[in-house]
Amino acid sequence: MAYSLADYKTSVHNNWCPGCGDFGILNAIQMGLADLQLPPHRVAVFSGVGCSSKTPHYINAYGVHTLHGRVLPFAVGAKLANPGLTVLAVGGDGDGLGIGAGHFVAAGRRNVDITYVLFNNGVYGLTKGQASPTLALNKQTKSLPRPNASGPVNPLLLAFASGYTFIARGYAYNVPQLKALIQQAVEHPGLAFVEVRQPCPTYNNITTRDWYGGADRLDTAGKPQPRVYSVPDQEYDPLISEDSSEAQRLATIAAFTSKALEGGDAIPTGVLLRNLTQSTYGQRLEARLPGYHDVPPATRAIEVEGKSLADLEPLFEELRVV
Ligand code: SF4
């Protein structure tokens, strides 16, 4: 059976504001999953809390709208219980890098084979536009009574420092590129992170669609100079593999760091790091529990005729302190 974009759509009423960048990201996810020909019943989408965390309602797949900042523990747990699922975690910058920051770091250490799409608009849109962890110091969006007194966290550098093995950045209004980035993230064997820059037209009146598009930066011919740009494939190789020499690894990390530090009037998009040298958490579990992938926890019988099959005695014996 072939799957189409329509198979990933739902009839749930969408109440995002007109012009919100969330729409482009939702479309890119749906198109990416359809192009990968993944059966919707083999996909699970998890979210935290925020405007973007309504995404699972709009995708025809399994989905759980979880708790504020807790999307990654839910998504990781589902993947470990049922490794045959394609698992996506979605949510905003406030959700993932504020209350969820500890989980963001912990997930990186495990390299579980899931994809995390971070909708980054610099504000807490659902709660009327407070400064999020990615809003720049001294910026004053329209809901703030005073300029932001805190500096921003860099999502790409935090992902790298935490151990994410695939790191990309997209832009909500470049849907074809974003679709391709999400597809590559889903296909990556390990923890993939896609930061998506998106306008919040209701509360962020600084990094607007016009701002990203460079409407205030005209060249001599009067043409806008966009701030977002695609990193050209021929100039940038994000791959670190077992075949990479130490010098090549260091060069790739230096190039990644350089791109991640760009900002202001130059916002690179594309795949910025692809590290194939780390084992996944599933592989580590398989090494300790042979047969884990053949009979994962989600498919194991837990009772027969009302009687639990769990035998805890060996565990108690192992943990006994004498
Ligand atoms: Fe989108 Fe902002 Fe409206 Fe939320 S408040 S739906 S992020 S435009």
Side-chain angles (χ1 to χ4, degrees):
M1 173 177 178
Y3 298 99
S4 69
L5 180 57
D7 293 313
Y8 276 94
K9 291 186 179 290
T10 70
S11 57
V12 176
H13 172 68
N14 189 316
N15 63 359
W16 287 329
C17 308
C20 178
D22 289 356
F23 288 102
I25 306 172
L26 171 64
N27 285 342
I29 293 172
Q30 291 169 320
M31 291 163 68
L33 294 173
D35 278 7
L36 288 171
Q37 288 297 295
L38 294 168
H41 71 279
R42 302 302 298 158
V43 175
V45 184
F46 295 80
S47 66
V49 167
C51 295
S52 54
S53 287
K54 298 171 187 171
T55 298
H57 299 265
Y58 308 140
I59 297 178
N60 181 35
Y62 285 109
V64 185
H65 190 161
T66 75
L67 306 173
H68 198 201
R70 312 298 172 213
V71 58
L72 286 172
F74 277 88
V76 164
K79 183 68 180 182
L80 295 183
N82 194 349
L85 282 179
T86 295
V87 173
L88 280 83
V90 300
D93 44 313
D95 183 72
L97 300 175
I99 190 173
H103 295 305
F104 186 92
V105 172
R109 296 171 51 224
R110 299 194 179 103
N111 198 30
V112 179
D113 186 15
I114 67 173
T115 296
Y116 185 21
V117 181
L118 188 89
F119 296 45
N120 183 3
N121 58 20
V123 293
Y124 286 88
L126 190 69
T127 50
K128 305 286 183 269
Q130 298 88 345
S132 85
T134 57
L135 187 68
L137 177 66
N138 289 326
K139 293 294 182 192
Q140 186 175 11
T141 50
K142 66 189 191 188
S143 291
L144 300 183
R146 302 271 179 84
N148 187 19
S150 300
V153 67
N154 185 315
L156 302 179
L157 291 179
L158 186 62
F160 174 72
S162 304
Y164 288 65
T165 48
F166 179 102
I167 302 174
R169 179 192 277 143
Y171 176 51
Y173 289 103
N174 187 346
V175 175
Q177 182 207 37
L178 184 54
K179 179 191 83 165
L181 295 177
I182 290 169
Q183 286 177 322
Q184 291 174 77
V186 168
E187 290 183 314
H188 172 74
L191 182 55
F193 176 61
V194 183
E195 180 211 355
V196 189
R197 293 294 183 95
Q198 61 149 136
C200 166
T202 300
Y203 292 112
N204 190 331
N205 55 328
I206 298 175
T207 51
T208 63
R209 186 173 186 175
D210 279 350
W211 182 87
Y212 280 110
D216 57 329
R217 301 192 321 145
L218 305 180
D219 64 12
T220 50
K223 200 171 155 212
Q225 300 297 295
R227 290 181 167 87
V228 277
Y229 72 96
S230 298
V231 175
D233 292 343
Q234 64 274 22
E235 286 178 18
Y236 189 91
D237 182 3
L239 179 64
I240 296 176
S241 73
E242 295 293 354
D243 296 332
S244 303
S245 67
E246 190 58 19
Q248 287 170 324
R249 289 181 195 218
L250 292 174
T252 301
I253 291 170
F256 164 78
T257 306
S258 169
K259 286 292 171 208
L261 285 171
E262 285 184 24
D265 289 341
I267 302 170
T269 59
V271 178
L272 301 177
L273 191 75
R274 195 159 68 92
N275 182 353
L276 299 180
T277 65
Q278 303 299 309
S279 61
T280 66
Y281 203 74
Q283 290 169 326
R284 297 170 202 168
L285 281 181
E286 182 72 42
R288 291 187 184 191
L289 305 166
Y292 159 71
H293 280 100
D294 292 336
V295 191
T299 66
R300 289 182 196 166
I302 58 173
E303 58 88 27
V304 172
E305 295 176 352
K307 293 188 87 175
S308 171
L309 288 173
D311 181 5
L312 297 179
E313 278 309 316
L315 178 63
F316 291 153
E317 193 56 42
E318 186 182 335
L319 297 176
R320 190 191 308 276
V321 177
V322 291

